Amino acid sequence: MIQFILSDFIRIYEVFIGFYAVSYIFFYMGLSILSFIAIKAYSNTKYNIKDDILIKSNHVVGVSIVAPAFNEGANIVFNVQSLLSLNYPKFEVVIINDGSTDNTLEQLIEEFELVKVDFYYQEKIKTKPVKGHYRSTNPVYSKLLVVDKVNGKSKADASNAGVNSAQYPLFLCTDVDCILRKDTIVKLAKPFMESKTRVIATGAAIRASNSCEVSEGFLDKIHYPKNWLARFQELEYIRAFLLGRMAWSRINSLLLVSGGLGLFDKEIAIKAGGYWHKSLGEDMELITRMRKVMYEQNEDFIIKYIPESLCFTEVPATINVLVRQRSRWGRGLIQTLSLHKDVFFNKKYGRMSYLIFPHFLLFEFMVPILEALGILVLLLSIFFLDVDYNNLILISVFVYFFYLSVTLFSILWDEILYNHYASVKEVAILILMAFIEPFVYHPINIYATLKGYYLFALSKEQKWGDMQRQGFVKVAKPKLTKA
Amino acid sequence: MKTGIFRQKLYYGACLLFFFSVACAYSFSPELKNALMRLETSDSISGITYKVQVGSFKFPIEQFVFLREQIGDNFVLTHGIYQSYQEALKAKDSLQAAGFKDAWIPMYLHENRSDLSEIAGYLSGLEHPLHLEEIVYSDENSLLITNEKAGAILSSSFFLGEGDSYLKKLFFMQGEQPYYSYFLYAIIIFLGTTLSLITTLITHRNTVRAANAKRKIIQRKINGFLSDLILHEDLSEQLLDQKLTDFRTKIPIKNDWCKELMIKNIIDLKKNFKGEMSSLFISIYLKMDLLSYSKNLIKNKVWYEKTRGIFHFEELGYYEGLPLITPFISSRNKSLKSVALIAHISLKKEAPLEIFSDYDGHIDKIDELKILDTIKKKKIKIPDNIQDWLKSSNPSLVLLTIKMISYFNHLEAADALLELLDSPNEAIRRDVIIAIRQLYLLQAESKLIESFPQENIDNQIEIIKSLATIGSYATEEFLEQLVELTDIREVKIETMKALKEMNSLLFHSTFNHNIDLQLVKLHVEDPYIL
């Protein structure tokens, strides 16, 4: 009897998974095609707008770079120098020292000749108390503003204090350890100036900087990471940014502008209440609320994604840190979906209600659960029922090669567009990583995400991500010696 | 080389490889499939029987409806014993209709469970294997298979080793589940795609490396050649021709990438030189026949190739190219239209801005910047009818005109400009408010104060800035009231700044009654806050 019940259950599961997998495959193939169209359309316009016109104009829209820092003493000076050197005629850099327990603030004060100023601060978004604002006495650093505040246990709280202190109508949110390409602001601000419809946010691709050559906060040469975990993440980033987000951007359905790099309309972000300090996926949550504000205002809007790697960041290099990061992302996803459950199939929220949220629920949230369930079903079948091994092998091989095709396509696309890698060897390693990713890296991800769901269910308190920085490959400067 | 054409070739290459892999997947012979069909159409064959299997389990099942049988480690339940496959098929359909969805037909050779390859081997071993009727396919490409041919096919194709029989079965849809074959085809397609992509990736990387190396060499040659020309003191027409002829033999000028590189170098140099030297670059461009390359780009069907050609003309200041560009100003493609418009303004010698007299396209903020930059660079004169454009029904043109009026310091347009303070368009009103302070239009003071309460915060801030520039006693009075009333941080700060700028008495007070205003004053007075 048990066998018959089990058999029925597995039969139903089979049918469900069959439909699910087919729709998943077709959905992602559709996204790949959309992505291809979007990237092509972007690259076609390169003779249309020359950046130098924007760089020397006085009429561009102002941008405040908001970068929270928590115990970043090791690299803070170089990182701020790097941010200050970006090419844009009207911008400021707002660094938020979120109650660091190391010498982050002291280093900033010393290096940039800062003094405490009488900054008139208004808390448009509620945050932990701000202790003071610092400005440089040296005109060279006139674009720098440092906000010192009480630790709020979240990047969101620190970012909000930065947004409250920002003077320009757009704010670029990044992590202080991110290395931005010099033309980052130009690229991200352009859509705000060229679109007839109001643009409320823009984002761009992020890459792993783990083995890149960096000198004093500036990127000298891009290399494929040497660390195995970082290599997998590089691969994952390429695929997600080039094939996923570009497609969503094409149909104006982007829900995720990375916390590492995103340019936002300050007015709408403040109306939406800023970053939610209890959020674990604050970037996605903010976009959700900004979208809601626009739908409620009944105003057309665009969220755009740029298919260029503008930001380089150090990605987790140990399993523990990776699991912690992915677990936080998992919790962030489930938290956002449950917090905004009113969006589902509520026609007031347009495509967010019938396309974006259902996608995140069905394909982003459900996949780790179904994968775990799949393994369970497989084990039950092996022990209690007759498994059709031929079928199992065929479908597994099919799924594997489908995955490989999609991944390699994104690598090729990346190579043709940007030629990032230094040699055939680096490309070959990337291909090799693609082959072994499903067996080595993917299970870690699934475990971490499920752990995140579990922790969400237990309502565990969240903390600022404490990632041990490995440091960049530093380029030694040639010394001049007397002959 | 990283040019458009090279990329296209790559795409085509990848596509061809992909389709090749698809073609491979479908190019297998259908002979075995035909043989199986013959087996299935026979009434009965000695030694061969069929059953219908309804389930398979790891443990014995207690029930009395179906026959029980052990196959390897599994306990299976079957129904009936049939001589003909068709009979078994009917039974299977009935069982499936009754709810046994997984029911299927296993084959038995001398009452032992067998797979297709064993049965095929048995069949081919018979002296007179089968009395098969001729099978005539009804489609147009009908295939006539005789008894001898069928026997030959069976004997040659079904004698397979253990290892490869399974795959063969899959290829010809003889698997135990028919969809196995579809998965196999899909695997072959994606495997082919995977291999194609790997090959393309490695080839691309190698090609780019080689192309970059070659490009570097050519770049050095171009640098040397152009430097030599620039530094040459007595460069006659004849000498230039001779040098160009020599140089053409040293670089692969027939290749588009080389032409593009050469043009890029000429454009870069032209930006830094003026006068006679500037005409030298145009001469090189023409004598090297790069003009026909640019023209071909403009004539290309693909819009973004056109923009490349237009860009060459614009940057080189090739005025004669204007007739080729002008038609694209009315293009439906926004990007092409924008590029053509800027190039037109840049290249037209007489009244280039006249184009706006009947321009109905949208001019975005970036176009605006480009147009203003071109006006500045080319020292274009103010058009006579500029005021008329302020009345245009195209809001983007009105915005551009306001900025042009400010740039040209065209005070004659003051009245028309002030009328636009009543425009329903917020962006137009904002630009007018900014223009008022740039043109120092004192007469706008009362109107700005009057319209202040109706404006959004951004416009209010601009009004305060303008009032600080043009304001009188009335402004001071207005701002003194405003600073006490407003709650908005930016408005407070801007008002306090304006009061400071106007040297208001209020600014010099201590604000003892209002701590908040004390803080705002401190903010404004701080020398390090901009």
Side-chain angles (χ1 to χ4, degrees):
Chain A
M1 184 55 112
I2 292 168
Q3 279 91 341
F4 273 114
I5 294 169
L6 199 59
S7 174
D8 280 349
F9 164 73
I10 290 175
R11 176 78 197 160
I12 294 165
Y13 181 79
E14 265 180 6
V15 173
F16 166 71
I17 283 296
F19 280 108
Y20 183 88
V22 169
S23 49
Y24 187 91
I25 285 170
F26 277 102
F27 191 82
Y28 276 90
M29 281 172 91
L31 283 186
S32 301
I33 293 164
L34 271 177
S35 202
F36 182 89
I37 295 167
I39 295 171
K40 192 83 182 77
Y42 179 85
S43 62
N44 286 348
T45 57
K46 70 175 179 182
Y47 284 90
N48 194 10
I49 304 159
K50 292 280 156 194
D51 290 349
D52 58 342
I53 291 170
L54 293 182
I55 287 165
K56 63 190 180 190
S57 171
N58 293 322
H59 299 287
V60 293
V61 59
V63 172
S64 302
I65 298 174
V66 172
F70 174 68
N71 288 351
E72 297 279 356
N75 288 318
I76 189 76
V77 171
F78 290 149
N79 293 333
V80 172
Q81 275 169 346
S82 167
L83 291 174
L84 286 170
S85 69
L86 296 179
N87 279 343
Y88 197 69
K90 204 193 272 186
F91 81 101
E92 64 171 344
V93 176
V94 183
I95 303 292
I96 307 99
N97 176 45
D98 194 30
S100 296
T101 49
D102 68 353
N103 62 347
T104 301
L105 184 63
E106 289 71 22
Q107 284 210 60
L108 285 169
I109 290 172
E110 193 184 343
E111 182 66 29
F112 298 103
E113 301 162 47
L114 301 179
V115 289
K116 201 167 187 177
V117 291
D118 294 314
F119 193 90
Y120 178 61
Y121 180 75
Q122 206 174 49
E123 207 174 62
K124 289 172 184 162
I125 308 166
K126 186 97 182 130
T127 65
K128 287 280 178 187
V130 168
K131 293 194 271 189
H133 289 77
Y134 293 81
R135 280 267 188 196
S136 177
T137 54
N138 186 343
V140 172
Y141 305 122
S142 62
K143 285 178 174 158
L144 178 63
L145 171 70
V146 174
V147 184
D148 185 30
K149 71 178 274 288
V150 173
N151 183 268
K153 290 184 182 175
S154 74
K155 186 188 160 192
D157 193 67
S159 300
N160 285 339
V163 174
N164 285 337
S165 307
Q167 63 167 312
Y168 291 121
L170 302 179
F171 71 90
L172 189 154
C173 206
T174 186
D175 294 327
V176 80
D177 58 298
C178 285
I179 300 168
L180 304 186
R181 226 170 72 181
K182 289 230 174 217
D183 55 353
T184 298
I185 311 179
V186 177
K187 298 278 182 203
L188 289 178
K190 232 187 255 180
F192 285 87
M193 291 185 268
E194 66 187 349
S195 173
K196 221 173 170 180
T197 310
R198 184 169 187 170
V199 177
I200 60 166
T202 52
I206 293 178
R207 301 293 277 255
S209 65
N210 294 46
S211 296
C212 295
E213 290 175 28
V214 174
S215 87
E216 299 185 352
F218 299 97
L219 200 65
D220 276 356
K221 202 165 184 185
I222 298 166
H223 285 297
Y224 188 55
K226 286 180 180 151
N227 175 282
W228 278 68
L229 276 180
R231 283 175 171 177
F232 285 124
Q233 286 167 86
E234 170 96 347
L235 186 67
E236 194 183 25
Y237 276 33
I238 293 172
R239 196 172 47 219
F241 284 109
L242 280 183
L243 290 188
R245 295 198 191 169
M246 272 315 288
W248 286 111
S249 172
R250 178 77 186 174
I251 51 173
N252 195 21
S253 300
L254 208 59
L255 197 60
L256 199 56
V257 171
S258 168
L261 182 69
L263 186 61
F264 302 88
D265 182 320
K266 191 170 82 175
E267 186 195 337
I268 303 300
I270 289 174
K271 269 188 189 170
Y275 289 104
W276 183 41
H277 71 285
K278 285 186 178 171
S279 175
L280 295 149
E282 61 276 345
D283 33 15
M284 180 180 173
E285 212 273 328
L286 176 66
I287 293 288
T288 306
R289 273 183 294 115
M290 285 175 77
R291 278 183 163 272
K292 279 174 125 176
V293 167
M294 297 308 283
Y295 283 120
E296 279 155 15
Q297 283 184 185
N298 210 9
E299 191 179 340
D300 288 342
F301 67 96
I302 292 172
I303 298 175
K304 212 159 186 179
Y305 192 77
I306 313 292
E308 294 203 44
S309 303
L310 299 178
C311 175
F312 292 80
T313 188
E314 196 178 336
V315 298
T318 63
I319 291 183
N320 279 345
V321 179
L322 178 75
V323 168
R324 203 158 56 222
Q325 184 198 54
R326 297 307 160 102
S327 155
R328 193 166 63 85
W329 289 3
R331 290 158 79 186
L333 174 66
I334 188 169
Q335 186 189 45
T336 305
L337 291 177
S338 59
L339 192 70
H340 298 283
K341 53 183 174 293
D342 59 315
V343 168
F344 283 103
F345 305 109
N346 182 344
K347 65 178 179 185
K348 185 166 80 173
Y349 299 121
R351 70 187 60 182
M352 189 160 78
S353 69
Y354 62 79
L355 177 69
I356 310 171
F357 258 57
H359 161 265
F360 271 91
L361 179 72
L362 276 175
F363 292 149
E364 299 286 337
F365 168 71
M366 289 283 284
V367 161
I369 296 171
L370 288 175
E371 285 190 37
L373 198 60
I375 291 168
L376 184 71
V377 166
L378 188 65
L379 292 174
L380 283 174
S381 304
I382 289 170
F383 288 115
F384 297 107
L385 300 168
D386 180 21
V387 174
D388 184 345
Y389 288 101
N390 294 335
N391 199 1
L392 179 70
I393 291 165
L394 269 179
I395 295 175
S396 306
V397 173
F398 160 70
V399 169
Y400 181 65
F401 281 114
F402 171 75
Y403 145 82
L404 267 180
S405 300
V406 170
T407 304
L408 292 174
F409 175 72
S410 58
I411 299 174
L412 176 66
W413 203 210
D414 183 64
E415 254 294 282
I416 290 172
L417 280 174
Y418 311 118
N419 282 316
H420 267 158
Y421 300 107
S423 64
V424 174
K425 188 183 162 193
E426 289 190 352
V427 175
I429 293 171
L430 195 63
I431 294 169
L432 178 71
M433 290 297 119
F435 272 89
I436 59 175
E437 187 202 2
F439 313 107
V440 181
Y441 177 71
H442 188 66
I444 301 173
N445 249 341
I446 295 298
Y447 163 73
T449 310
L450 291 174
K451 188 182 170 190
Y453 295 170
Y454 173 71
L455 290 175
F456 177 78
L458 293 184
S459 308
K460 287 251 181 179
E461 196 190 4
Q462 38 88 32
K463 287 177 185 169
W464 250 91
D466 186 15
M467 187 168 112
Q468 291 297 313
R469 304 275 171 213
Q470 305 287 310
F472 301 113
V473 176
K474 300 230 166 48
V475 180
K477 289 207 162 181
K479 286 181 182 171
L480 293 173
T481 50
K482 284 179 184 174
Chain B
M1 185 55 56
K2 196 181 166 186
T3 65
I5 288 166
F6 174 71
R7 283 183 193 177
Q8 276 179 7
K9 279 180 186 168
L10 262 177
Y11 302 149
Y12 295 147
C15 289
L16 274 176
L17 280 167
F18 174 76
F19 286 117
F20 174 72
S21 63
V22 174
C24 283
Y26 282 94
S27 64
F28 293 97
S29 158
E31 288 167 357
L32 275 180
K33 193 176 174 184
N34 292 337
L36 184 70
M37 283 174 66
R38 285 167 179 265
L39 199 63
E40 288 173 353
T41 50
S42 301
D43 288 340
S44 69
I45 299 168
S46 170
I48 296 174
T49 53
Y50 309 90
K51 293 182 184 178
V52 181
Q53 182 173 317
V54 293
S56 175
F57 305 93
K58 284 282 176 194
F59 305 102
I61 305 294
E62 290 303 324
Q63 56 78 48
F64 308 101
V65 179
F66 299 108
L67 299 170
R68 283 181 287 172
E69 199 176 319
Q70 186 167 1
I71 308 283
D73 293 336
N74 297 319
F75 296 90
V76 301
L77 300 180
T78 61
H79 179 266
I81 300 172
Y82 303 93
Q83 298 297 319
S84 139
Y85 184 78
Q86 291 306 323
E87 283 174 21
L89 205 58
K90 279 178 196 165
K92 186 201 82 173
D93 290 345
S94 310
L95 283 162
Q96 280 184 335
F100 296 94
K101 301 287 182 199
D102 284 336
W104 63 284
I105 304 168
M107 295 175 184
Y108 290 77
L109 183 59
H110 302 308
E111 296 179 5
N112 294 319
R113 177 78 74 104
S114 303
D115 65 18
L116 198 59
S117 61
E118 284 172 330
I119 289 176
Y122 166 72
L123 288 173
S124 63
L126 295 176
E127 193 177 342
H128 299 290
L130 290 168
H131 295 288
L132 296 171
E133 297 300 319
E134 287 184 349
I135 294 177
V136 179
Y137 290 87
S138 59
D139 63 356
E140 285 178 6
N141 301 317
S142 64
L143 175 68
L144 195 68
I145 301 176
T146 60
N147 286 348
E148 289 84 346
K149 279 183 182 170
I153 290 164
L154 283 173
S155 59
S156 64
S157 305
F158 277 113
F159 268 113
L160 301 163
E162 280 295 313
D164 58 3
S165 64
Y166 173 67
L167 269 183
K168 288 252 178 185
K169 280 193 289 182
L170 285 177
F171 278 130
F172 302 110
M173 302 212 179
Q174 295 166 357
E176 293 177 352
Q177 304 276 0
Y179 55 80
Y180 281 8
S181 312
Y182 297 116
F183 275 115
L184 192 68
Y185 289 136
I187 287 169
I188 291 165
I189 290 167
F190 284 113
L191 172 67
T193 311
T194 301
L195 295 175
S196 312
L197 287 168
I198 292 170
T199 315
T200 315
L201 263 166
I202 302 291
T203 314
H204 175 260
R205 174 51 35 200
N206 273 326
T207 316
V208 167
R209 195 180 51 177
N212 283 343
K214 194 171 180 183
R215 198 184 168 96
K216 268 187 190 169
I217 294 167
I218 302 300
Q219 180 63 61
R220 274 201 294 272
K221 285 182 182 173
I222 294 174
N223 287 345
F225 172 71
L226 291 175
S227 309
D228 180 43
L229 289 185
I230 292 164
L231 298 173
H232 208 288
E233 286 179 356
D234 302 311
L235 187 67
S236 65
E237 197 76 15
Q238 202 179 0
L239 185 61
L240 177 64
D241 287 345
Q242 193 191 328
K243 278 181 177 288
L244 283 170
T245 312
D246 289 348
F247 184 60
R248 285 175 74 97
T249 60
K250 290 176 186 167
I251 58 168
I253 195 68
K254 281 182 182 171
N255 294 341
D256 284 352
W257 66 264
C258 186
K259 285 177 188 159
E260 196 67 51
L261 188 65
M262 190 71 204
I263 293 174
K264 185 185 172 294
N265 276 273
I266 295 172
I267 288 172
D268 288 345
L269 278 175
K270 194 179 174 294
K271 278 182 185 169
N272 299 314
F273 288 91
K274 285 181 180 165
E276 274 182 31
M277 210 47 103
S278 182
S279 58
L280 169 69
F281 298 124
I282 293 281
S283 289
I284 298 169
Y285 174 71
L286 296 173
K287 285 176 191 286
M288 289 196 82
D289 198 27
L290 296 170
L291 175 63
S292 58
Y293 171 68
S294 301
K295 277 183 176 174
N296 285 338
L297 284 175
I298 294 174
K299 286 174 188 166
N300 196 304
K301 283 180 183 171
V302 182
W303 71 266
Y304 53 85
E305 295 291 355
K306 289 181 193 295
T307 62
R308 285 169 63 197
I310 295 172
F311 177 74
H312 292 165
F313 284 179
E314 184 196 336
E315 292 294 315
L316 288 164
Y318 183 68
Y319 299 100
E320 291 77 6
L322 189 61
L324 277 177
I325 295 170
T326 308
F328 300 117
I329 293 173
S330 50
S331 166
R332 279 190 200 169
N333 183 305
K334 194 207 156 281
S335 299
L336 179 58
K337 187 183 179 116
S338 163
V339 171
L341 178 70
I342 308 295
H344 175 92
I345 295 169
S346 180
L347 295 176
K348 194 155 191 292
K349 286 181 177 167
E350 291 298 317
L353 298 177
E354 269 308 309
I355 189 82
F356 291 118
S357 293
D358 54 355
Y359 189 77
D360 59 357
H362 176 72
I363 305 159
D364 65 38
K365 180 95 180 162
I366 296 196
D367 287 339
E368 241 180 40
L369 297 180
K370 285 192 285 188
I371 293 164
L372 292 171
D373 183 66
T374 310
I375 291 173
K376 203 173 163 186
K377 262 198 312 201
K378 300 278 168 183
K379 295 178 182 160
I380 294 169
K381 287 182 182 167
I382 186 167
D384 297 335
N385 57 344
I386 192 166
Q387 279 194 55
D388 296 343
W389 305 345
L390 287 175
K391 290 170 189 155
S392 165
S393 57
N394 178 354
S396 62
L397 177 60
V398 177
L399 287 168
L400 173 67
T401 309
I402 296 168
K403 289 190 180 78
M404 283 201 269
I405 286 171
S406 291
Y407 172 75
F408 289 118
N409 203 18
H410 187 58
L411 291 169
E412 288 83 347
D415 290 342
L417 209 57
L418 292 183
E419 278 176 30
L420 288 173
L421 279 174
D422 296 322
S423 163
N425 186 311
E426 279 179 9
I428 290 178
R429 294 202 303 273
R430 181 161 55 250
D431 275 9
V432 173
I433 296 164
I434 294 167
I436 285 170
R437 68 169 174 268
Q438 287 169 342
L439 295 171
Y440 209 68
L441 301 179
L442 301 176
Q443 65 270 40
E445 184 185 19
S446 57
K447 179 79 177 165
L448 287 181
I449 293 172
E450 194 186 305
S451 59
F452 184 87
Q454 287 84 45
E455 289 293 353
N456 62 30
I457 293 169
D458 288 344
N459 285 10
Q460 284 185 344
I461 289 167
E462 293 304 335
I463 287 177
I464 297 165
K465 283 181 184 171
S466 293
L467 284 174
T469 308
I470 63 160
S472 65
Y473 180 71
T475 292
E476 215 175 303
E477 210 171 58
F478 168 71
L479 294 177
E480 283 172 3
Q481 286 173 15
L482 180 66
V483 78
E484 299 274 357
L485 293 172
T486 186
D487 288 328
I488 300 156
R489 176 184 180 266
E490 285 73 20
V491 177
K492 264 186 197 174
I493 291 173
E494 212 50 63
T495 311
M496 195 61 88
K497 271 187 193 170
L499 286 170
K500 183 187 174 191
E501 222 169 287
M502 297 178 84
N503 205 15
S504 154
L505 279 176
L506 184 73
F507 182 76
H508 296 293
S509 72
T510 53
F511 291 105
N512 284 336
H513 63 293
N514 191 331
I515 294 169
D516 196 48
L517 288 182
Q518 280 179 26
L519 295 173
V520 179
K521 187 184 170 188
L522 285 171
H523 177 102
V524 170
E525 279 186 319
D526 196 300
Y528 303 116
I529 299 176
L530 298 173

